[in-house]
């Protein structure tokens, strides 16, 4: 008989074993049962933790006033009221004491005036001048009584009470940016040097404000650290070609810095390739890839511009054709069609936003939808605020606002879903290379502070527009 036995992980004996798909370990039949029991117990623990979490969140929903921040605000209110009451009582005592002193002074003046009147009446010696004097004296002490000049209230802008404010992680709904940008990458003309770019397409900004660029005609991915004078090549850069260490006109990338991994849309080679620690692996073959996106569940989305569709693959399972999640009904302008889809964005609900370049619109496909919904443009090619002209890069923020590159209009637009027109946030000053101009921009990204970065395609540079609101 052929020897098909292997060593069991648990009993360490050579037996007929079975592989666990989850951990890829080998177990004999008896130990495989025990292994499954352990997994069942772990699932039970997870289920208990889930139920505890569900109970906690239900309690918080039913009793929102029990939130720790609410308790902190209540305590601040109590302490602030006590301070106000103490200070108010202190000021009352000061006012009462000062007022009494003022009244005593006025009463003294009144007594003196009264004595003068009595003396005049007794002597019966007075004239018009004396009467005017008495009138003026009486008027002065009356005004002094009604408007005491020795005491008043002065408002101080420096509050004696500690103020609090609520800090929210959500940005203002009406963010604005400076209209004059600063060049943070390139700007040294078209070229191959490390301080130059040659038609940048996709860009990505990490938490350290390092900028990753798909340097299209330099056939490389470069990283510019914050405030650097030049970049460093992290993928490609070995000339145009289809070898494993080469790229051909890359358009987009997904950067995973924890794993030192970059997934690249290698458009010219019709493949999606992964670079991990300078080791390359082709993930998807024979695909006219342009845009890439990855959701939080680990699914990879790729736009296929020539098949007018977006496909999805589960991470690690690229040995199939994937599934069509948007388009796939040929070239056209119907709601279930695309005309050269380019950039894509996937939100937390797995809704897919696609820049439908040839149709001059952005389309949103909800998960498992059979057709999309126009959320920007869709009114023909043009420069009006309800139109787009060959849109490219896009980002959707946590409030559902859509930021999209308006390629031929050389501007960045913001659209709120359901609105008939968008608003221009930067650019729109004609084609050019001044600080307030763009030249056929391709992509955009935001840093953690909300500043806007734009891949200025024909100016061979990345520009930063600082947030001001």
């Amino acid at each position: 008989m052929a020897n098909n036995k292997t060593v069991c992980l648990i009993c360490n004996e050579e037996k007929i074993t079975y592989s666990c798909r989850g951990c890829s370990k080998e177990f004999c039949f008896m130990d495989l049962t025990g292994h499954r029991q352990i997994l069942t117990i772990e699932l039970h623990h997870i289920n208990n933790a889930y139920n505890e979490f569900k109970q906690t969140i239900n309690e918080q929903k039913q009793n929102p006033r029990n939130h720790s921040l609410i308790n902190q605000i209540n305590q601040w209110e109590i302490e602030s009221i006590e301070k106000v009451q103490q200070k108010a009582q202190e000021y009352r005592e000061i006012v009462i004491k000062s007022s009494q002193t003022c009244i005593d002074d006025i009463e003294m003046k009144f007594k003196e005036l009264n004595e003068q009147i009595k003396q005049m009446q007794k002597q019966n010696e007075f004239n018009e001048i004396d009467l005017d004097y008495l009138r003026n004296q009486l008027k002065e002490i009356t005004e002094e009584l009604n408007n005491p000049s020795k005491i008043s209230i002065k408002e101080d802008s420096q509050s004696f009470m500690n103020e609090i404010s609520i800090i929210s992680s959500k940005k203002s709904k009406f963010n604005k940016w400076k209209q004059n940008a600063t060049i943070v990458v390139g700007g040294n003309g078209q070229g191959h040097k490390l301080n130059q770019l040659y038609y940048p397409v996709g860009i990505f900004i990490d938490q350290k404000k390092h900028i990753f660029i798909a340097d299209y005609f330099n056939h490389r991915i470069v990283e510019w650290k914050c405030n650097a004078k030049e970049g460093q090549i992290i993928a490609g850069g070995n000339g145009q070609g289809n070898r494993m260490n080469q790229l051909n006109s890359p358009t987009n990338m997904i950067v995973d810095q924890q794993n030192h991994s970059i997934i690249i849309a290698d458009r010219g080679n019709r493949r999606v390739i992964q670079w991990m620690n300078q080791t390359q692996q082709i993930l998807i073959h024979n695909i006219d890839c342009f845009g890439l996106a990855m959701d939080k569940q680990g699914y990879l989305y790729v736009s296929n511009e020539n098949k007018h569709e977006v496909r999805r693959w589960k991470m690690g399972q690229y040995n199939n054709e994937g599934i069509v999640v948007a388009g796939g009904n040929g070239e056209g302008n119907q709601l279930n069609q695309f005309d050269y889809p380019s950039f894509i964005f996937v939100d937390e609900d797995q809704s897919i936003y696609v820049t439908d370049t040839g149709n001059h619109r952005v389309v949103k496909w909800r998960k498992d939808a059979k057709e999309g919904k126009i959320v920007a443009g869709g009114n023909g090619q043009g420069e009006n605020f309800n139109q787009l002209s060959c849109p490219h890069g896009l980002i959707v923020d946590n409030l559902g606002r859509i930021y999209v590159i308006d390629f031929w209009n050389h501007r960045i637009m913001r659209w709120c879903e359901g609105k008939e027109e968008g608003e221009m946030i930067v650019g729109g000053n004609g084609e050019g290379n001044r600080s307030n101009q763009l030249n056929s921009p391709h992509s955009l990204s935001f840093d953690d502070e909300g500043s806007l970065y734009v891949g200025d395609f024909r100016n061979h540079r990345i520009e930063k527009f600082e947030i001001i609101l």
Side-chain angles (χ1 to χ4, degrees), residues 113-240:
L113 183 61
N114 188 43
E115 288 295 327
Q116 293 178 24
I117 293 173
K118 287 181 179 180
Q119 189 69 26
M120 289 180 185
Q121 288 175 338
K122 183 179 179 181
Q123 296 177 358
N124 198 24
E125 290 184 359
F126 54 89
N127 55 31
E128 290 84 359
I129 297 174
D130 295 324
L131 295 177
D132 287 340
Y133 169 77
L134 292 175
R135 289 192 193 95
N136 290 332
Q137 287 297 306
L138 184 60
K139 182 179 180 181
E140 286 180 5
I141 61 175
T142 302
E143 289 180 353
E144 190 173 349
L145 178 64
N146 295 331
N147 301 292
S149 59
K150 293 183 178 179
I151 185 170
S152 62
I153 293 179
K154 178 183 178 182
E155 295 188 15
D156 193 347
S157 61
Q158 297 296 323
S159 174
F160 65 88
M161 182 178 65
N162 294 329
E163 295 184 358
I164 66 172
S165 59
I166 303 299
I167 300 174
S168 173
S169 61
K170 289 187 177 181
K171 305 296 183 182
S172 168
K173 191 171 182 179
F174 302 102
N175 292 340
K176 293 183 179 179
W177 291 264
K178 292 181 179 179
Q179 295 301 296
N180 291 296
T182 56
I183 300 172
V184 291
V185 174
N188 300 301
Q190 158 191 324
H192 310 290
K193 297 178 181 177
L194 290 178
N195 69 342
Q196 294 178 307
L197 298 174
Y198 195 175
Y199 292 121
V201 184
I203 62 174
F204 169 76
I205 316 298
D206 70 6
Q207 294 180 345
K208 298 179 181 178
K209 296 185 176 61
H210 295 180
I211 306 170
F212 298 79
I213 308 113
D215 197 2
Y216 188 75
F217 275 137
N218 278 327
H219 315 291
R220 64 190 184 187
I221 307 295
V222 292
E223 176 186 5
W224 284 58
K225 297 186 183 301
C226 185
N227 298 321
K229 300 299 181 183
E230 62 180 30
Q232 62 184 46
I233 300 171
I234 57 175
N238 299 301
Q240 179 181 9

Side-chain angles (χ1 to χ4, degrees), residues 175-418:
N175 292 340
K176 293 183 179 179
W177 291 264
K178 292 181 179 179
Q179 295 301 296
N180 291 296
T182 56
I183 300 172
V184 291
V185 174
N188 300 301
Q190 158 191 324
H192 310 290
K193 297 178 181 177
L194 290 178
N195 69 342
Q196 294 178 307
L197 298 174
Y198 195 175
Y199 292 121
V201 184
I203 62 174
F204 169 76
I205 316 298
D206 70 6
Q207 294 180 345
K208 298 179 181 178
K209 296 185 176 61
H210 295 180
I211 306 170
F212 298 79
I213 308 113
D215 197 2
Y216 188 75
F217 275 137
N218 278 327
H219 315 291
R220 64 190 184 187
I221 307 295
V222 292
E223 176 186 5
W224 284 58
K225 297 186 183 301
C226 185
N227 298 321
K229 300 299 181 183
E230 62 180 30
Q232 62 184 46
I233 300 171
I234 57 175
N238 299 301
Q240 179 181 9
N242 60 5
R243 298 197 308 270
M244 292 296 289
N245 68 340
Q246 291 181 307
L247 297 173
N248 185 354
S249 306
T251 55
N252 216 325
M253 71 264 151
I254 297 172
V255 179
D256 185 344
Q257 292 173 295
Q258 291 183 345
N259 297 327
H260 303 286
S261 165
I262 306 173
I263 298 175
I264 304 167
D266 192 7
R267 184 190 189 195
N269 285 322
R270 301 185 67 248
R271 66 188 183 187
V272 176
I273 188 170
Q274 181 182 44
W275 284 56
M276 183 179 292
N277 296 320
Q278 296 301 313
T279 300
Q280 301 84 35
Q281 177 188 2
I282 298 175
L283 303 182
I284 305 171
H285 296 265
N286 301 320
I287 181 170
D288 296 304
C289 52
F290 193 101
L292 298 176
M294 183 172 289
D295 64 22
K296 291 188 176 181
Q297 287 73 34
Y299 287 96
L300 176 65
Y301 299 75
V302 184
S303 63
N304 188 324
E305 56 183 352
N306 287 329
K307 287 190 176 181
H308 313 286
E309 64 186 16
V310 177
R311 286 183 178 264
R312 185 181 73 186
W313 283 262
K314 188 173 183 178
M315 178 64 76
Q317 298 181 9
Y318 302 113
N319 56 348
N320 54 52
E321 295 183 352
I323 61 171
V324 176
V325 290
N329 298 296
E331 178 182 353
N333 60 6
Q334 302 300 312
L335 290 178
N336 66 345
Q337 294 178 308
F338 292 124
D339 185 0
Y340 289 98
S342 55
F343 287 83
I344 51 179
F345 181 91
V346 182
D347 67 13
E348 293 184 352
D349 298 326
Q350 293 183 311
S351 292
I352 308 162
Y353 297 77
V354 184
T355 45
D356 191 4
T357 305
N359 284 322
H360 313 290
R361 65 189 185 185
V362 177
V363 184
K364 176 182 178 180
W365 287 62
R366 295 190 180 277
K367 184 180 179 182
D368 301 325
K370 299 302 181 183
E371 63 179 28
K373 172 186 176 183
I374 299 172
V375 291
N379 297 299
Q381 182 176 11
E383 58 183 15
N384 296 326
F385 282 177
N386 69 340
Q387 295 177 304
L388 296 170
S389 183
C390 294
H392 279 71
L394 83 158
I395 288 177
V396 183
D397 67 14
N398 56 4
L399 296 178
R401 298 170 300 186
I402 303 154
Y403 297 82
V404 57
I405 294 283
D406 197 2
F407 182 77
W408 286 121
N409 286 323
H410 316 289
R411 65 189 183 187
I412 314 298
M413 298 291 292
R414 174 169 61 192
W415 290 66
C416 296
E417 186 173 341

